[in-house]
Amino acid sequence: MVHEIDKNRSRERRHARVRARVSGSAERPRLCVYRSLNHIYVQAVDDLKKATLAGASTLELRAKKAVTGNVEAAKAVGTLIATRLKEKGIEKVVFDRGGYLYHGRIKAVADAARAAGLKF
């Protein structure tokens, strides 16, 4: 009997393991990433207050007729979330990759956020 591998279920299990160790606070929020086929979404979350402090996604780039499912768009989102957090006086975050492997678009978001001044 052949068992099919459910990639999303595997990702959710990896994400649960990461979330057991990673938590955000007001001084150091959790920068969580969700990646879909066409878009990437990033939020800064304070887990103690259960509140979203800032967010950014490629949906905002869609108005400019930019391609949204690639590494360049992910870099733009990383820079955007970093500038929004710096405006609020937040410079340190905890990176939550959401169970995704740390390469491609996920790595591009993290590198762009670091280049824009966030410390992980």
Side-chain angles (χ1 to χ4, degrees):
M1 182 173 180
V2 178
H3 294 281
E4 290 185 24
I5 297 173
D6 186 3
K7 289 184 179 183
N8 197 40
R9 175 73 180 129
S10 298
R11 183 195 69 82
E12 287 173 355
R13 290 179 65 196
R14 281 191 305 271
H15 184 70
R17 284 197 305 267
V18 170
R19 286 289 293 122
R21 296 181 195 93
V22 174
S23 180
S25 63
E27 308 82 45
R28 195 171 171 128
R30 178 170 54 94
L31 191 68
C32 55
V33 178
Y34 176 74
R35 174 180 59 95
S36 71
L37 186 62
N38 295 321
H39 295 284
I40 193 156
Y41 308 87
V42 181
Q43 290 182 332
V45 178
D46 179 1
D47 289 318
L48 300 177
K49 293 181 183 176
K50 297 183 179 169
T52 300
L53 304 176
S57 73
T58 53
L59 292 174
E60 300 167 25
L61 303 175
R62 191 172 57 177
K64 299 176 186 174
K65 304 290 186 214
V67 178
T68 57
N70 58 11
V71 173
E72 289 79 26
K75 288 178 185 176
V77 170
T79 306
L80 186 61
I81 191 71
T83 55
R84 287 181 181 171
L85 287 174
K86 299 243 330 167
E87 287 172 359
K88 294 188 176 203
I90 299 170
E91 296 200 7
K92 291 185 177 182
V93 296
V94 178
F95 190 68
D96 177 10
R97 59 188 172 90
Y100 300 107
L101 298 177
Y102 188 78
H103 70 100
R105 291 189 284 161
I106 303 299
K107 184 177 179 189
V109 168
D111 290 344
R114 277 192 196 104
L118 284 183
K119 292 181 178 63
F120 291 23

